[in-house]
Amino acid sequence: MSNGNKEVLTGHQVVANAMRQVEPDVVAAYPITPQSEIVEYFSQYVADGKVDSEVITVESEHSAMSACVGSAAAGARTMTATASQGLALMMEIVYIAASMRTPIVMAVANRALSGPINIHCDHSDSMAARDSGVIQLYGEDAQEAYEFTLMAQRLAESEDVLLPVMVTLDGFTLTHTAQVAELLPDRAVSDFVGEYDARYPLLDVENPTTQGPFDMPDYYFEHKLQQVDAMDNVPDRFLQVQEEFNDLSGGSYDGLFETYKMDDADYAVIILGSTAGTAKVVVDELREEGKKVGLLKPWLFRPFPAEEIKDVLLDKEAVAVLDRSLSFGSSGPLYLEVSSALSGEDTKPRLYNYTYGLGGRDIKEDQIAEVFEDLENPDLEDKMRYIGARQ
Amino acid sequence: MTTELKQKEEVKPELTSAEHPATKYLREERLPHIWCSGCGLGSAVTSLTNAYEKLEIPIDDIGVVSGIGCTGRAAGYFETDSYHTTHGRAIPFATGLKLSNPEMNVTVFSGDGDLFAIGGNHFIHAARRNVDMTVICVNNYNFGMTGGQFGPTTPQGATATTSPYGNYEDPFNLPDLAASAGAIYVARWTSVHARRIQQAMEEALSKRGFSFVEILSPCPTGYGRKNDLGEGIDELKSYQDRTVIKHGSDPGDAEIERDPEAEIVVGKFVEDDRPTYCDVADDYLQGQ
């Protein structure tokens, strides 16, 4: 990174700073652990005159997302942040935001869904939104959460996309811990995100539009297909945004997922979010022992980069997909995607599914090392395994 | 050293012990509670257990329902039937409880953020329907559990984590809202008025219909600290000085201002009777 600023910051602070630098016109939010401090920091920046945004802390997340859709439809650049039950309560309007093609950028501090009530991290909240039509980016650390928030803005507002983007960061693990992060200069970010020029703003009285009306069977289907097209445009657009971002930051984003020591790996794990960081340590340790192991960490989960991931996995011996959420009565959401990506191939790795870390249950290096050990067994039974759970 | 210890043991007085009067209503294994020192929630819980005791309501006939937040944690401490709902949904859950078991004494015990922000809609509709339940709101003027954000009862001008230079929104006046929505019993006290709270709770629990008791509570960690109100005890002292008892007064005049010198009206604002939701439903359906 060329002209940045290395600081020790929490996940809350980096996201709040990204929001400050993006300078949205409107932020509507409601407090919820472990998100609340993002909006607290942002409110402080607004109060201190460091950013010119309207913040309204409304009476629920349902109202927050509703206010965001109203604001975005009016033509304003709009952001919010939430977690867990908050996202669940927003869900009705998240679908509306996607189908109204409002480019809202939202941070989700991943936290388990109730019940039982739990405030700690898993991915059940964002996974519940995976069919809603939002683009989903998963960050491994504060730096990625920061950079994805900036890139999300460009991605969301791309002419052929116009969809909301959810940037997730693991609750507590990333939101509450201080890490070294490098922020870009304010001016560089404002140049990168540019001015938002809404295509059909409701407040453009010269060109009046009606938005969100009733859709009958004669057109509803086609309108959904427009969303499909928009989602299909995301991977290329994301790569393009990454390229421009690299020019700005000196970074090296060049894909829809990160591969770590995968080129010659025989055995691989696939993990979303902060646990990928733990897995990298394990990969390094096992590599020192001469084991050919690697990690694949999807950045983009919606749309899911199935073809690209398939190409990386096909020559592997065995692959474990570690899910941090359940899809009761089925396999884990990430496993289903990977499994589907590999279906139809004659020669493909043995594929296994593990569930870990529900409700904040810690996962340690030796547990990931055990997964790699499992993979070496050619007769390993194909069934769901629950890491660190009492059974 | 050994001798000293021995001597101490010899003079050790015999401990006298008795069961705390609240014990039978509380899950002792869940204690100590999570609340900060100086918080008014302990007084509110004690007043409620005392009220149950005084009214001799059998423990099996009581349902305590809470939402999310500091006050929301109360349901987990009650040895009665109790339920900790999602944020804001204590009242609809309690409505279902009451309809399925009309004999149950249903108490909703929750905070201002839970009952009047995310759950505000439920409050006015349960009051309108006159569902037979008692809603106790411990009002600490902010979202305490999530770190002190301003909410629907934060006085204008007060500082919170999301209003660092003061809240510019108009807050709800809860007794006025409750009365307007149709509550048949409305009272407000503060956590310094322990006996008055208990008496109000006894009255509210005895009424048939939607009864509402607001308890103003210190929140030294969240609200108090940011608004120079001192420790919990200082806030209690200020309640002692600021409150004026005006039974039967217009709840519209019971607004709370941030000014630490400004008068706070407390007392019983409404005591009325009208048929409950179940009464009306039974009568109406029988007439059909």
Side-chain angles (χ1 to χ4, degrees):
Chain A
M1 307 251 171
S2 50
N3 45 5
N5 237 339
K6 268 197 180 157
E7 291 179 68
V8 177
L9 297 166
T10 63
H12 290 135
Q13 288 172 309
V14 294
V15 174
N17 268 292
M19 291 168 72
R20 177 182 60 75
Q21 293 179 317
V22 166
E23 198 161 40
D25 300 302
V26 174
V27 169
Y30 186 81
I32 184 163
T33 304
Q35 171 286 115
S36 308
E37 287 91 329
I38 294 176
V39 177
E40 284 179 15
Y41 282 116
F42 189 75
S43 300
Q44 184 76 50
Y45 299 146
V46 172
D48 289 342
K50 290 180 178 169
V51 57
D52 185 14
S53 301
E54 294 287 336
V55 181
I56 181 155
T57 50
V58 287
E59 60 281 356
S60 78
E61 288 87 355
H62 194 271
S63 311
M65 188 45 86
S66 299
C68 285
V69 170
S71 148
R77 183 173 270 168
T78 306
M79 299 179 94
T80 186
T82 191
S84 184
Q85 300 304 115
L87 179 59
L89 187 59
M90 271 186 186
M91 202 68 81
E92 181 187 27
I93 315 301
V94 172
Y95 273 76
I96 305 294
S99 55
M100 292 268 288
R101 311 292 297 280
T102 50
I104 296 161
V105 173
M106 62 188 301
V108 170
N110 281 119
R111 161 184 155 184
L113 284 177
S114 300
I117 300 170
N118 176 293
I119 57 168
H120 295 281
C121 178
D122 71 30
H123 296 156
S124 51
D125 51 359
S126 51
M127 283 300 163
R130 68 191 192 273
D131 294 339
S132 64
V134 296
I135 297 164
Q136 291 192 337
L137 295 170
Y138 285 76
E140 176 191 326
D141 52 21
Q143 190 67 40
E144 285 190 353
Y146 169 71
E147 294 176 345
F148 286 162
T149 306
L150 302 181
M151 285 191 260
Q153 204 62 47
R154 288 285 308 278
L155 186 56
E157 292 170 3
S158 297
E159 190 83 350
D160 56 355
V161 173
L162 293 177
L163 289 172
V165 183
M166 180 182 292
V167 177
T168 76
L169 61 165
D170 284 346
F172 292 103
T173 314
L174 297 185
T175 55
H176 286 63
T177 54
Q179 301 145 71
V180 175
E182 192 164 358
L183 304 186
L184 293 165
D186 293 353
R187 172 57 68 85
V189 174
S190 44
D191 288 347
F192 172 70
V193 296
E195 287 282 316
Y196 174 49
D197 189 14
R199 207 160 157 191
Y200 302 110
L202 273 182
L203 292 183
D204 179 3
V205 290
E206 300 298 317
N207 299 290
T209 55
T210 297
Q211 299 191 22
F214 189 69
D215 208 355
M216 288 292 279
D218 54 353
Y219 275 107
Y220 178 90
F221 207 155
E222 285 73 20
H223 284 139
K224 298 321 278 185
L225 294 187
Q226 290 182 346
Q227 273 179 264
V228 172
D229 290 343
M231 201 51 117
D232 287 346
N233 293 333
V234 170
D236 283 350
R237 203 54 71 211
F238 187 35
L239 293 173
Q240 190 187 336
V241 170
Q242 285 180 355
E243 215 169 289
E244 285 181 49
F245 187 81
N246 290 341
D247 290 344
L248 178 78
S249 68
S252 54
Y253 287 101
D254 63 344
L256 309 176
F257 47 86
E258 182 187 346
T259 52
Y260 188 73
K261 305 195 176 172
M262 280 293 279
D263 287 347
D264 65 340
D266 293 328
Y267 303 103
V269 293
I270 305 183
I271 302 181
L272 290 167
S274 66
T275 308
T278 316
K280 284 177 183 173
V281 176
V282 178
V283 166
D284 288 346
E285 285 169 0
L286 294 178
R287 283 269 170 183
E288 277 180 30
E289 294 171 22
K291 305 209 176 215
K292 290 186 170 179
V293 294
L295 161 79
L296 190 153
K297 178 189 78 182
W299 283 317
L300 190 64
F301 182 77
R302 276 291 178 272
F304 191 75
E307 276 299 310
E308 295 85 347
I309 284 182
K310 182 185 78 179
D311 291 344
V312 173
L313 295 184
L314 269 186
D315 66 343
K316 306 302 167 204
E317 191 69 34
V319 174
V321 181
L322 272 60
D323 270 287
R324 202 167 189 174
S325 64
L326 294 166
S327 176
F328 296 100
S330 185
S331 303
L334 182 57
Y335 174 88
L336 288 174
E337 299 297 338
V338 177
S339 175
S340 159
L342 293 170
S343 68
E345 299 296 325
D346 295 331
T347 314
K348 57 185 172 187
R350 290 179 282 116
L351 191 65
Y352 301 98
N353 197 186
Y354 292 73
T355 302
Y356 75 98
L358 298 187
R361 177 65 54 86
D362 205 7
I363 179 163
K364 300 205 162 80
E365 292 164 30
D366 57 356
Q367 292 171 311
I368 297 173
E370 278 170 30
V371 171
F372 279 116
E373 205 178 304
D374 284 352
L375 293 182
E376 289 180 27
N377 173 10
D379 301 320
L380 187 67
E381 194 190 339
D382 180 15
K383 61 164 191 181
M384 178 69 89
R385 289 174 172 77
Y386 301 94
I387 300 175
R390 297 188 279 279
Q391 279 180 300
Chain B
M1 194 69 178
T2 322
T3 328
E4 270 179 31
L5 278 175
K6 205 174 178 186
Q7 276 177 348
K8 263 188 184 172
E9 275 171 27
E10 279 167 5
V11 295
K12 196 174 164 189
E14 201 177 319
L15 285 174
T16 49
S17 66
E19 197 187 12
H20 189 280
T23 304
K24 75 174 182 186
Y25 294 101
L26 297 178
R27 296 183 199 280
E28 277 188 287
E29 72 277 14
R30 303 300 301 165
L31 300 175
H33 56 67
I34 62 152
W35 298 316
C36 307
S37 63
C39 172
L41 272 162
S43 316
V45 169
T46 307
S47 303
L48 184 57
T49 58
N50 287 348
Y52 287 145
E53 177 87 27
K54 185 81 179 294
L55 295 174
E56 296 177 355
I57 307 175
I59 197 161
D60 290 343
D61 292 352
I62 301 170
V64 177
V65 185
S66 293
I68 296 289
C70 292
T71 316
R73 291 298 280 263
Y77 298 128
F78 277 89
E79 183 73 302
T80 62
D81 283 339
S82 66
Y83 200 87
H84 192 179
T85 70
T86 55
H87 196 20
R89 314 306 159 198
I91 289 177
F93 181 90
T95 301
L97 198 58
K98 184 68 188 178
L99 293 186
S100 67
N101 186 356
E103 300 309 311
M104 183 174 259
N105 194 304
V106 176
T107 309
V108 169
F109 191 93
S110 213
D112 50 306
D114 184 73
L115 287 167
F116 293 97
I118 197 163
N121 199 25
H122 306 308
F123 182 86
I124 56 173
H125 288 285
R128 172 182 67 80
R129 292 191 184 101
N130 199 24
V131 182
D132 182 16
M133 64 171 71
T134 298
V135 176
I136 295 163
C137 173
V138 180
N139 178 3
N140 63 7
Y141 316 108
N142 75 141
F143 292 102
M145 177 73 88
T146 45
Q149 297 81 11
F150 78 88
T153 57
T154 310
Q156 224 170 23
T159 306
T161 49
T162 44
S163 59
Y165 299 114
N167 166 39
Y168 43 80
E169 293 187 11
D170 246 331
F172 275 137
N173 166 347
L174 299 184
D176 196 26
L177 178 69
S180 317
I184 51 103
Y185 180 94
V186 179
R188 170 198 279 163
W189 296 101
T190 79
S191 47
V192 82
H193 299 94
R195 286 170 207 278
R196 304 276 194 171
I197 302 174
Q198 185 187 327
Q199 195 187 341
M201 286 177 174
E202 287 170 23
E203 290 176 1
L205 290 166
S206 306
K207 294 289 288 185
R208 293 190 77 249
F210 188 89
S211 52
F212 176 65
V213 180
E214 179 188 21
I215 301 164
L216 304 178
S217 163
C219 176
T221 308
Y223 183 79
R225 188 164 49 99
K226 293 184 204 73
N227 289 285
D228 301 325
L229 298 177
E231 301 291 324
I233 187 75
D234 300 318
E235 233 175 302
L236 290 182
K237 280 179 189 154
S238 102
Y239 282 144
Q240 201 166 21
D241 297 339
R242 290 175 69 185
T243 49
V244 182
I245 301 173
K246 289 184 184 172
H247 291 303
S249 66
D250 181 352
D253 298 332
E255 284 177 356
I256 297 173
E257 289 172 34
R258 193 206 167 204
D259 176 4
E261 307 287 313
E263 178 179 296
I264 294 176
V265 179
V266 294
K268 180 164 59 180
F269 299 95
V270 175
E271 188 164 15
D272 203 356
D273 282 298
R274 66 186 175 96
T276 68
Y277 176 82
C278 289
D279 295 341
V280 175
D282 288 349
D283 283 357
Y284 186 85
L285 292 173
Q286 273 168 16
Q288 296 300 304

